[in-house]
Amino acid sequence: MSAAGAGPGPGAEAQMGKDRDVVRLERESVIPVMKPKLIMKLAYLIERENDREEFVKLCKRMEYTIRAWYHLQFDDMMELYALFDPVQGAKKLQQQNFSSEEIDTLEQNFLTYLFQMMEKSNFNILSDDEVELAHSGQYLLNLPIKVDEAKLDNKLLSKYFKEHHHDNLPEFCDKYVIFRRGIGLDRTSDFFFMEKVDMVITRTWRWLLQKTRLQRLFLRKKKVKPVIDSKKNDDLVGEGDDKELYIERIRLETMNLSLRNLIGKVTIQEPTFEEVIVLYRKKSPKGQDDRAIQVKHFKNIPMADMELVLPEKKNPSLTPMDWVQFIVSVVIGLVSRVKLV
């Protein structure tokens, strides 16, 4: 997986069509400049050399103070997490002989440290708008994946958010939380033969449903939120409001059905979250009190493939190509059976 700039490649638009699917995102609250370079640039603005040296010393002292705070917070957080580690946490809790109320307090303290650390590190909680944006398209993952919520605990996070208010929480926040940081871009070039077959089957099926007016029975309407802008103006990509970032999506779903696109190599691209952290707890089996807290870290996850990081996934359902293969196999089996009879 490779990250590139926010602009599309020169051949991508010719392959995928004229309409452009532009995603509107909030800019990260960070300065994308190396720290030494920033300090030196600011220092050179000071005329007197003595004042310049004092400014550099001040920057170092500020850095040491911030680093000390992070180290203390991190050490305290990891000391608490050792009690809830999925591998060794249960043994340590048993050795300490804590009461149930004390364990409740300790796990809430851990969550407090964790959320503070995430906020200071410029991680944001994935919102419903961003989830809807991720589900609005497909990239390299072509399997329908859903969370098995029956396997997830809903008490741990519910208690935390009840005592600590957060804005724009997703609807699944009582079971799991997804933090994300950084915006990148992934670009992939390939023939995508199987994916193209799935796309053709899906489009044909939707066309048949539309012509027979049966789409209301088979297709559910999804709530579309205003987070995706389809534009034809090249100047809009990467520009606009200072607080917003525009990145183009190039997907097989919106590809023109030409012979060149179907048999040739195409380039697709998708914005990515550079870092993703998932927090959740599995539901305890009957008669057990499992206090383990799961914290998983992922990097460079395409937005349209966010299902990859979901906890406790259900077994994926069949793709359109799988259904065709299944139906063809059944038909061939029935025909063979009839001939034998």
Side-chain angles (χ1 to χ4, degrees):
M1 184 175 291
S2 60
E13 185 178 352
Q15 293 173 339
M16 306 307 289
K18 295 182 179 180
D19 290 341
R20 307 187 70 178
D21 187 4
V22 180
V23 180
R24 185 176 71 250
L25 302 167
E26 290 187 7
R27 291 185 181 273
E28 296 289 299
S29 57
V30 295
I31 302 175
V33 180
M34 294 182 63
K35 180 181 59 183
K37 182 178 180 180
L38 178 62
I39 293 175
M40 294 308 298
K41 286 286 186 181
L42 294 175
Y44 285 139
L45 298 177
I46 302 175
E47 296 181 358
R48 297 177 57 182
E49 185 175 353
N50 292 337
D51 293 341
R52 193 182 304 162
E53 293 177 356
E54 291 297 323
F55 173 76
V56 173
K57 290 180 182 179
L58 175 63
C59 291
K60 289 183 178 180
R61 289 171 183 170
M62 292 175 61
E63 179 184 358
Y64 296 153
T65 302
I66 295 172
R67 283 182 176 271
W69 182 90
Y70 271 100
H71 280 298
L72 289 174
Q73 289 286 103
F74 185 76
D75 289 343
D76 291 342
M77 182 181 71
M78 293 308 296
E79 186 176 350
L80 286 172
Y81 184 65
L83 301 173
F84 307 106
D85 179 75
V87 180
Q88 300 292 336
K91 292 182 180 179
K92 293 184 178 181
L93 281 176
Q94 190 175 7
Q95 291 172 357
Q96 298 297 327
N97 197 25
F98 288 121
S99 65
S100 179
E101 291 76 13
E102 289 174 331
I103 296 176
D104 290 341
T105 302
L106 289 172
E107 65 186 16
Q108 291 300 314
N109 289 342
F110 164 71
L111 291 180
T112 301
Y113 276 116
L114 178 63
F115 276 83
Q116 287 178 355
M117 188 68 72
M118 293 295 101
E119 182 181 1
K120 294 293 184 180
S121 302
N122 293 310
F123 277 91
N124 295 317
I125 297 177
L126 197 70
S127 65
D128 281 328
D129 287 346
E130 291 165 334
V131 172
E132 187 70 27
L133 172 63
H135 290 168
S136 65
Q138 292 180 341
Y139 186 54
L140 298 179
L141 180 66
N142 196 31
L143 293 174
I145 295 177
K146 294 183 179 180
V147 176
D148 190 352
E149 296 186 352
K151 295 183 179 180
L152 295 175
D153 173 77
N154 61 356
K155 298 178 181 178
L156 175 68
L157 292 171
S158 296
K159 183 177 180 180
Y160 175 81
F161 287 124
K162 186 177 180 180
E163 299 177 359
H164 302 81
H165 175 73
H166 285 71
D167 295 326
N168 299 324
L169 288 174
E171 60 181 358
F172 51 79
C173 66
D174 60 328
K175 299 177 181 67
Y176 59 96
V177 174
I178 301 177
F179 299 94
R180 55 91 176 170
R181 179 176 70 177
I183 301 295
L185 189 69
D186 184 76
R187 185 180 291 115
T188 304
S189 297
D190 206 338
F191 290 97
F192 300 109
F193 287 125
M194 298 302 295
E195 290 81 359
K196 290 175 183 176
V197 172
D198 281 338
M199 178 195 64
V200 172
I201 294 172
T202 301
R203 290 192 185 184
T204 304
W205 175 245
R206 289 178 178 173
W207 179 82
L208 289 173
L209 291 179
Q210 185 177 6
K211 290 298 182 181
T212 56
R213 298 183 179 181
L214 295 175
Q215 65 268 29
R216 295 182 180 179
L217 298 177
F218 293 93
L219 298 178
R220 296 180 180 178
K221 290 185 178 180
K222 295 183 179 180
K223 294 181 179 179
V224 179
K225 300 184 179 181
V227 292
I228 303 176
D229 295 334
S230 295
K231 303 182 183 295
K232 296 183 180 180
N233 190 350
D234 295 354
D235 296 335
L236 289 174
V237 180
E239 297 181 3
D241 194 341
D242 291 339
K243 295 183 179 180
E244 294 179 342
L245 176 67
Y246 292 89
I247 300 179
E248 183 185 8
R249 269 178 156 177
I250 303 177
R251 301 175 291 154
L252 291 175
E253 296 170 88
T254 57
M255 182 182 70
N256 292 332
L257 288 179
S258 64
L259 182 62
R260 177 186 175 186
N261 284 339
L262 290 175
I263 66 175
K265 182 179 288 189
V266 296
T267 299
I268 58 177
Q269 70 179 26
E270 177 74 12
T272 63
F273 293 130
E274 293 183 350
E275 290 187 84
V276 175
I277 293 178
V278 183
L279 170 70
Y280 66 98
R281 168 181 280 171
K282 295 181 181 179
K283 192 172 184 179
S284 301
K286 289 185 178 181
Q288 298 183 19
D289 187 17
D290 187 4
R291 296 289 187 141
I293 299 176
Q294 308 284 337
V295 181
K296 297 186 178 181
H297 185 203
F298 304 87
K299 289 188 176 182
N300 299 322
I301 301 297
M303 292 184 184
D305 293 347
M306 278 297 295
E307 293 87 349
L308 290 170
V309 307
L310 294 177
E312 300 302 313
K313 306 175 189 65
K314 294 181 179 179
N315 291 329
S317 56
L318 297 178
T319 64
M321 185 62 184
D322 295 330
W323 277 110
V324 170
Q325 292 176 347
F326 174 73
I327 294 172
V328 170
S329 300
V330 171
V331 171
I332 293 175
L334 290 175
V335 171
S336 302
R337 182 71 175 176
V338 170
K339 287 183 178 180
L340 290 175
V341 174

